[in-house]
Amino acid sequence: ATDDNRPAGVIEVERKFSFGEGSEEKLRQAGAVCKGEASFHDVYYDTEDFVLTLADHWLRRREGKWELKCPPASRDQASLVEQYVELEREADILKQLAAILKVKADTVDETVRSARCEPFCNFQTDRKTYTLDGGFKIDLDQTDFGFRVGEIELICQKQDDVPGALRRID
């Protein structure tokens, strides 16, 4: 999930879930409020030998803008809840990519070319976003190839807040 007003390097604590007919009604009954709908196009990039994905780094171009999801400095390995830092500022993305890909460049485009990253996944997503009291954000996504996934998310400003967020989501 992307929010341009979000500070760089916050930690997304999220759990994915499957959803089907009736899920939106259950959300509304639980007090969730639909905040909007959006469609976007994602292209994911990696090297031929998948250096980024094997390091749990997800480089994508969403609607033409580079984003990188990567693990936080420390992560609760016992939790089933996913924890990622989502980077949107080019300088932050470049620093992280340089460490993983061992390539130094002035732009993400140059890094992608130098490291010979190629698209490996390309799709359109329709998203409905709900909020729920307590700071929860719930996205319901459906892709153009029929895959559906929901995501419940809390945003943490610092690593110390993650354990509490994990308990709340679980």
Side-chain angles (χ1 to χ4, degrees):
T2 301
D3 181 347
D4 288 336
N5 297 321
R6 182 179 298 164
V10 297
I11 301 167
E12 290 184 349
V13 180
E14 59 194 36
R15 177 187 290 271
K16 307 276 192 217
F17 60 92
S18 59
F19 72 94
E21 301 304 320
S23 295
E24 289 185 72
E25 182 58 31
K26 287 179 184 174
L27 281 172
R28 285 190 289 276
Q29 288 172 357
V33 176
C34 185
K35 292 298 187 178
E37 297 183 31
S39 292
F40 47 88
H41 182 239
D42 286 331
V43 181
Y44 283 80
Y45 289 78
D46 206 340
T47 63
E48 184 177 85
D49 49 355
F50 296 100
V51 169
L52 292 172
T53 52
L54 289 172
D56 200 16
H57 283 62
W58 303 91
L59 178 64
R60 71 178 170 217
R61 192 164 225 175
R62 175 167 285 172
E63 295 298 327
K65 185 176 183 295
W66 289 110
E67 299 176 353
L68 180 66
K69 289 182 84 162
C70 51
S74 66
R75 184 185 326 200
D76 181 346
Q77 300 299 328
S79 175
L80 298 175
V81 178
E82 295 179 5
Q83 304 157 56
Y84 286 99
V85 175
E86 189 164 310
L87 304 176
E88 297 175 351
R89 295 183 184 151
E90 188 161 41
D92 297 333
I93 296 170
L94 283 170
K95 182 178 177 184
Q96 196 70 27
L97 289 178
I100 301 291
L101 295 173
K102 311 295 186 227
V103 171
K104 183 111 172 83
D106 293 327
T107 67
V108 175
D109 287 319
E110 287 176 24
T111 300
V112 166
R113 278 192 300 277
S114 295
R116 296 193 179 112
C117 292
E118 296 290 334
F120 71 91
C121 192
N122 183 341
F123 57 93
Q124 182 81 18
T125 300
D126 294 324
R127 170 175 288 170
K128 287 186 181 178
T129 299
Y130 288 83
T131 58
L132 191 59
D133 286 346
F136 291 95
K137 179 179 165 193
I138 300 133
D139 289 327
L140 301 179
D141 292 347
Q142 182 160 341
T143 66
D144 58 2
F145 56 90
F147 181 71
R148 287 180 169 190
V149 66
E151 174 183 287
I152 184 166
E153 171 186 286
L154 285 171
I155 299 298
C156 296
Q157 299 301 321
K158 56 188 186 302
Q159 188 65 39
D160 291 346
D161 297 336
V162 171
L166 292 171
R167 285 190 296 278
R168 292 178 61 209
I169 288 176
D170 279 337

